[in-house]
Amino acid sequence: MPTALWVRCLPMQARKIAVVAATVIVVAGCGGPSQTVATVTSTLQPTICINADRAAATLSPADAEDAVLCLINQQRANHGLNALTANPILGQVAAAHATASVTLKWWPAGGGPSVHVNPQTGMDAAARIREAGYCPVNRDNVPRGENAYVGQYWGSPTSDVMAKTTSPEAAVNGWMNSPGHRANILNPAYRESGIAVLQGVPVSGAPADHDGYVFIQNFGGC
C-alpha cells in the first residue's frame, strides 16, 4: 500500500510533517506497489475553491471539509469524471475514524496501511463503512475506499506557515502525489464521499508539544 512522509524545515523553527496513507477497497481486492513520495508538488489548477489554501486552524471543520470536497471534485472534473456528492454516513465514518486516530494515537510516523485499522476494534475502512450501514442494498460488495492525511506543527508558526501542510490544498496535493491516494480520488466507481478534518496528532510517540490536523476521506460507490 502506498504511503508518503513529507518533512520540511520552515521559518520560525517550525517544522511541518505530513503523513498520508491510503487504502483502496474494491470488490476484487485492494492495494498496489509500495512507494514513498519525498516531495509534495502542486497538481491543482489555480485555486477556485473557497478556503482551499487556508490553514485548518483558521477554518471551521465544515468549511475545511467543503474545501477538500471542492478540490477533489476539481481533480475529477479535470479527468472527465463525475463529481462526488457528500454522504452523511460516509461523513460519520470519517469523523469517527479521525476521532479515534487522535485519541488512540497509533499511526506510524511513516504512515502505512495500519492507519486505517482501529487497534481497539480491529476494523479497517471496508468494515467500518459496512458496519455503518452504507449502501444497504449492496453493503458487502459496494466499492469503498479511504484516504488519510495528517499535517503536524510545533513552535509558534504563523497561519501562513501552518497552511503549508494543514490546508485542504496541502492534503489534496499530498494525496494526488501518491499513486494509491490518486487512484481513490480518480476512481470512476466512486459516487459519494464523506470527509472529516479534526485537530490533533494521531502519530504514535509524537511529542506532547506537537499539534496538527487529521484529514480523512471515505469513498463509496452506492
Side-chain angles (χ1 to χ4, degrees):
M1 303 289 281
T3 64
L5 175 65
W6 175 28
V7 181
R8 182 178 180 183
C9 294
L10 296 170
M12 298 183 64
Q13 307 301 315
R15 180 174 295 175
K16 301 285 186 171
I17 300 176
V19 179
V20 288
T23 180
V24 182
I25 306 159
V26 188
V27 178
C30 63
S34 297
Q35 180 168 337
T36 298
V37 180
T39 59
V40 176
T41 56
S42 178
T43 62
L44 302 179
Q45 300 298 318
T47 299
I48 60 172
C49 295
I50 298 173
N51 299 318
D53 58 353
R54 290 180 56 185
T58 69
L59 300 172
S60 70
D63 285 345
E65 292 154 13
D66 286 347
V68 171
L69 183 59
C70 177
L71 292 168
I72 294 296
N73 282 335
Q74 184 184 84
Q75 290 288 356
R76 289 176 66 89
N78 289 345
H79 291 81
L81 298 173
N82 60 292
L84 301 177
T85 58
N87 178 278
I89 293 178
L90 293 176
Q92 291 166 13
V93 174
H97 191 60
T99 299
S101 296
V102 301
T103 301
L104 301 178
K105 300 182 183 299
W106 77 85
W107 290 19
S114 64
V115 309
H116 302 286
V117 181
N118 184 308
Q120 286 190 341
T121 66
M123 297 174 68
D124 62 9
R128 287 184 277 107
I129 292 170
R130 182 187 184 282
E131 183 72 14
Y134 176 70
C135 199
V137 298
N138 190 29
R139 61 187 299 182
D140 292 321
N141 296 318
V142 63
R144 291 156 286 178
E146 180 174 87
N147 282 351
Y149 174 99
V150 61
Q152 296 184 66
Y153 55 86
W154 58 91
S156 301
T158 65
S159 60
D160 287 345
V161 172
M162 287 192 291
K164 293 181 182 295
T165 56
T166 67
S167 67
E169 188 173 60
V172 175
N173 281 339
W175 288 334
M176 286 299 293
N177 277 276
S178 177
H181 307 90
R182 182 184 177 93
N184 270 345
I185 290 169
L186 301 181
N187 189 333
Y190 293 146
R191 300 174 181 175
E192 298 176 304
S193 173
I195 298 167
V197 179
L198 181 67
Q199 185 175 10
V201 177
V203 178
S204 176
D209 64 343
H210 284 207
D211 205 352
Y213 281 83
V214 173
F215 293 70
I216 303 291
Q217 181 171 21
N218 287 120
F219 301 86
C222 191

